[in-house]
Amino acid sequence: MTADNRPDLLLMSGGEAMLRPSLVRSIAEHARLIGTRTNVLSGLFFANHPRIPAAVRAAIDAVDHFSASMDVFHEREVPRKATFKVLSQLLDEGKDVSLQVVGLGPEDPYLADLVKDVRSTFDDRIPMFVGSVAPQGRARTWLKRSAQPHRAVQPAPCSLAAWPVVGFNGHVTVCGNQDVMDGIVPMPPHLLLGNIAVDDWETVKERCLSSSMVRALRTMGPRYLAQSFGGRVCSGYCETCFTLSDDPSVPAQVSNAAREPRTRALEVATDLITAGAGPVAFARQWGIAKFAELVLLGLPHKEQAQCGT
Ligand code: SF4
């Protein structure tokens, strides 16, 4: 968020946002009028066409940044060659583009091959965020997370708990967790910020900044919060978050703690550290660490040095 109270960046993802190209274009044009930048994420279903369809093209032109998502399952529908052709065209025209890639983990040979291919084909001009498939959304049915041995939990702030997301049903949630957005887990009350049918941006922003649970998530992360206030520490980070309001005494204790001056001081310090850590630290926390520095590809060397570590 910017100093004058507007969202700095609006991300349109999916499903597939480009199935509604005129809506994407209209949102992007409106956002630009109020000084908000836009980014759209697409699986490039249109890449198999000989040319980018006119409505899709207009939507791409309207946004500030265009991201393509790739993974091994996706490539069966949209071949790599077709995706590269579209990215190459956009890049040559001066469009700001990036890739979001997911695989099964740091040693997945698909990721090594794709990263190598992207870097050589585009001469390191396309930044990449490389992450692991999580057992959420479509992967929920086939990917199981192995149980973690129980040990004392350290604070691990959730930097995604500051990213209000609008779902298909109009719900605005604290983050874009797929299971929450899809309604697969019952909506945890502490993650719901409102609904766009009745709440304006000022209201959503105020709730996001003032909710004691959201502030605690941003400062300690869900597992440390559960451990400190008598909640259930599950093996998964977000899975623990889902359960935090199950026992009403947890939000009540968090609310009491939020009034203490030292809590506010801790929040300010954590915000400074998280924001100051830069994009590589973000990619290390939320993606696959060994590929984290790929988010800087395409930046001039001076900016790479400033954003590095
Ligand atoms: S810990 Fe909670 S707020 Fe953070 S990403 Fe997971 S579900 Fe969202």
Side-chain angles (χ1 to χ4, degrees):
M1 296 174 215
T2 62
D4 58 345
N5 281 344
R6 60 179 165 73
D8 181 45
L9 177 70
L10 181 81
L11 169 65
M12 291 174 265
S13 64
E16 171 55 61
M18 282 304 195
L19 288 174
R20 302 282 305 275
S22 50
L23 181 59
V24 169
R25 179 183 172 183
S26 141
I27 290 173
E29 289 174 349
H30 183 73
R32 184 161 293 157
L33 283 179
I34 59 165
T36 293
R37 294 172 300 134
T38 51
N39 174 11
V40 71
L41 176 65
S42 169
L44 269 67
F45 66 92
F46 50 85
N48 289 323
H49 295 224
R51 299 179 55 195
I52 302 175
V56 172
R57 181 69 234 214
I60 294 174
D61 289 343
V63 296
D64 294 280
H65 185 89
F66 182 80
S67 292
S69 58
M70 292 185 78
D71 57 62
V72 69
F73 306 103
H74 225 96
E75 286 204 40
R76 290 184 200 142
E77 307 295 327
V78 185
R80 187 179 302 188
K81 199 169 157 197
T83 298
F84 280 12
K85 184 166 149 248
V86 170
L87 289 175
S88 183
Q89 180 189 342
L90 296 178
L91 206 55
D92 290 346
E93 291 170 5
K95 191 82 197 169
D96 204 25
V97 300
S98 64
L99 268 172
Q100 286 201 17
V101 177
V102 291
L104 291 176
E107 305 313 321
D108 184 347
Y110 168 77
L111 288 179
D113 176 66
L114 179 60
V115 165
K116 189 170 164 211
D117 205 0
V118 172
R119 294 192 71 166
S120 64
T121 303
F122 297 103
D123 197 21
D124 278 352
R125 288 184 299 156
I126 297 191
M128 284 177 268
F129 175 83
V130 184
S132 282
V133 183
Q136 294 174 354
R138 278 169 295 179
R140 167 176 276 271
T141 52
W142 57 268
L143 183 64
K144 302 290 171 209
R145 200 191 300 272
S146 53
Q148 306 279 322
H150 183 72
R151 57 173 78 102
V153 176
Q154 298 300 314
C158 177
S159 49
L160 297 186
W163 199 323
V165 174
V166 183
F168 288 108
N169 52 10
H171 281 342
V172 186
T173 50
V174 168
C175 68
N177 184 288
Q178 195 73 47
D179 284 350
V180 173
M181 303 291 299
D182 292 348
I184 289 170
V185 295
M187 176 68 73
H190 59 277
L191 294 185
L192 182 63
L193 296 175
N195 190 291
I196 55 167
V198 290
D199 296 308
D200 61 12
W201 166 246
E202 288 302 324
T203 308
V204 167
K205 181 187 155 199
E206 169 58 23
R207 287 176 187 156
C208 188
L209 292 178
S210 64
S211 156
S212 51
M213 286 292 278
V214 180
R215 285 164 52 196
L217 284 168
R218 281 199 292 267
T219 310
M220 308 178 205
R223 299 182 81 229
Y224 190 78
L225 201 159
Q227 179 180 264
S228 305
F229 294 100
R232 187 150 49 94
V233 182
C234 309
S235 60
Y237 189 80
C238 294
E239 287 77 1
T240 302
C241 185
F242 299 156
T243 67
L244 286 172
S245 293
D246 289 358
D247 177 351
S249 75
V250 174
Q253 288 183 69
V254 171
S255 173
N256 285 340
R259 293 193 200 102
E260 294 178 21
R262 63 179 176 173
T263 303
R264 190 66 205 133
L266 203 57
E267 289 170 0
V268 171
T270 308
D271 278 353
L272 282 174
I273 292 169
T274 308
V280 174
F282 179 89
R284 254 190 218 117
Q285 181 182 3
W286 296 102
I288 297 177
K290 82 176 202 184
F291 296 114
E293 303 218 347
L294 298 178
V295 295
L296 298 183
L297 293 182
L299 281 179
H301 286 305
K302 194 172 158 209
E303 284 180 49
Q304 284 197 15
Q306 285 167 351
C307 297
T309 49

